[in-house]
Amino acid sequence: MHRWSQIFIPTLREAPADAEVTSHKLLLRAGYVRQLGAGLYSHLFLGNRAINKIVAIVREEMDTIGQEFHLPALNPREIWEASGRWAGMGDNMFRLKDRKGAELCLAMTHEEVMTSIARSELRSYKQLPQIWYQIQTKFRDEPRPKSGLLRVRQFLMKDAYSFDIDEAGLDESYAKHDRVYRRIFTRCGLNFLAVDADSGAMGGSASQEYMVYTDAGEDLIASSSSGYAANVEKATSKLAAVEDLAATGDGLPELIVTPGKGAIADICEFLSILPSQDIKCVAFMGTPAPPPVQGGTSGVIQAPPLRPVVAFLRGDHQVNENKLNAAAGTAELRPMAPDELELHIGGPAGYLGPVGISEVMTQGSLNGLNSGKSLDKLKGVSRENAAEGLKTIVVMDLGLEGRSNLVAGANKLDYHLRNVTPMRDFKPTMMADVRTVNEGEPDPIGGEPLRIGKAVEIGHIFKLGYKYSKSMGASVLNRDGKETTPIMGSYGIGVERILTAAIEQSASLFAARGQADMYALPPSIAPFQVVVTITNVREAQLLAAGETIAKDLSAAGFDVLLDDRDERAGVKFKDAELIGVPFRIAIGKKLAEGKIELLNRLTNQTDDIYAAEAVQHLRAALTGQQATIAD
RNA sequence: CGGGGCGUAGCGCAGUCUGGUAGCGCACCUGGUUCGGGACCAGGGGGUCGGAGGUUCGAAUCCUCUCGCCCCGACCA
């Protein structure tokens, strides 16, 4: 039992002006944290208590599948060179030198250290599988720390790594983590979603993120009631059928004069067609993605040429640059300049179309390009940014598949074409899903409308494959006595983000009830489960009753904070609310009838109960609140 | 790194344009009244105005440089 009169809980009536995000304001006002610098926070008593409760849950659940380690946060340069990430991490890694001048870094993650242990210790398939985890401080020199505890430069992460002999083993380790993660987040009282994540250009192995919907989040996710959930970077949807236009004339592409109708809205109005009957063109120059396996390169490499990447989509669709990057093998896209449009497509902005692009790269050439082979060049071109004359990568979105008689730019100022039918009138390098899903579209599995919203990522599980075990040379002997590279997975949970997400989630519920800037934490992670508020400590009976009840609750195993301060009741009620403790017992006037007041802040329900029955009532309220954990 | 904003008491702010030696609310300390929803009265403590340099008789205020923090974007295994 803790006495409020003797502990340090610096609550603030007003939030510092620097805090903008709800959870940030509340964490500061409630005295959970204080800021030391950009992306650096001190956890005070309450904050640390909440974090410790989260850590305890994570540990308890992780111990059911893995073994806890504790690795150094300070790492020598060598192991990061071995994996190729000393250079790859760039400015995001904190680097320093020791007194001898040896280079070190503060680890952003621990694939390297774990793999180095595996490399030197694991010898036989009989030792596999292994799941090793730790709960430890990570350092990342974020370009822009923000949103309180959401994006910081030093934070607690539970990171786990699995080593298996084969893919089937990895699948199992991955599934174990998925199961355990769901239990952890459920026990922490979060309303979360597991979503398909963009596994990036490398490898293409599976990856799943655990997200909590909140406006404070930085990711956009799409989900539906049928259980579909995906990061918008990757999400897709079913498309309702669109009625094609009837052919005109001989049914072949027909040039029409459309002066000043460069915008889709204008051309649609001009021709009385729907945007879905028009072909949109989005053109980029793309920086090639790095090759799949990185070496420990330290020399200067000549930058590979930019690639002309042109996407054609339905007029009412938006291009998704992540998907387009994946399709074109690029890492970054910038819009084409007018002379590049002319060069690679052959038309002016506003009148770009797929018909008549003379130099379309073939799928085969693109594959070759992505594996670092031959360049499929366009002859006789000289412009610095013209990608050394690379042929144009034309990507047709699947939303155009099977369509006919569409309207498209004619690659000629003030002209469009009608009767454009994909595959007959033009052939792209490839067809791919490169559009962004929209709110309300039917999801691809159950056809239920998609909800799109911001979310914060609280965990991520990832099938790493052989990237680290191979580059760092870990191997074991298999059943046949042959050297075999173990396959790895890595799995992370952001501990502070669980706290932040829980506050955001609760605050939005309170806001919906009309109570601004209020929240209550789930009992499992709240710094205290209950506050016993003695409304007036100068009344001996109230004080004595409060002491007794707090002692009884404490003896019964609850985390109790006794507010024995000599303050007015209003101040104490306000503070009890601010610190987000889910239950409050008020000892006041009704004690004359032997009664006290139990407030469940999660349900906003108040009950008068007999003082002598406080323990049983709180126990009942707590179990009623405890989320059921399904296995 | 590009764009924007802000640094004055623990927190929120005014004062800066037009230079004259710093103020308000909350918090804090003392005394009194009050006591179930951030009390009231009286008295009090606390600030080299982010830092450095310059202009001036005189700088929170003008000029130069610099540091820090926040927001948008870029970035974010």
Side-chain angles (χ1 to χ4, degrees), chain A residues 14 17 58 65 108 210 214 249 293 336 366 399 434 502 582 587:
Chain A
E14 287 175 294
V58 170
I65 61 169
M108 304 171 63
Y210 297 83
T214 153
V293 178
M336 277 192 191
L366 179 58
V434 293
I587 298 175

Side-chain angles (χ1 to χ4, degrees), chain A residues 558-578:
Chain A
F558 296 110
D559 263 331
V560 183
L561 177 56
L562 175 64
D563 194 347
D564 58 344
R565 292 176 298 169
D566 183 11
E567 291 284 353
R568 294 166 63 87
V571 171
K572 298 203 210 185
F573 287 150
K574 252 333 185 223
D575 272 346
E577 279 154 18
L578 239 195

Side-chain angles (χ1 to χ4, degrees), chain A residues 521-555:
Chain A
L521 286 173
S524 56
I525 66 170
F528 291 96
Q529 293 164 308
V530 59
V531 176
V532 176
T533 302
I534 301 170
T535 55
N536 187 346
V537 293
R538 299 191 178 199
E539 287 185 30
Q541 299 96 321
L542 299 189
L543 182 59
E547 294 275 354
T548 307
I549 289 166
K551 244 172 242 158
D552 289 350
L553 290 170
S554 200

Side-chain angles (χ1 to χ4, degrees), chain A residues 28 76 100 130 228 259 298 385 389-390 444:
Chain A
L28 288 168
K100 290 180 290 190
Q130 290 292 334
Y228 178 77
S298 51
N385 277 342
L390 277 182

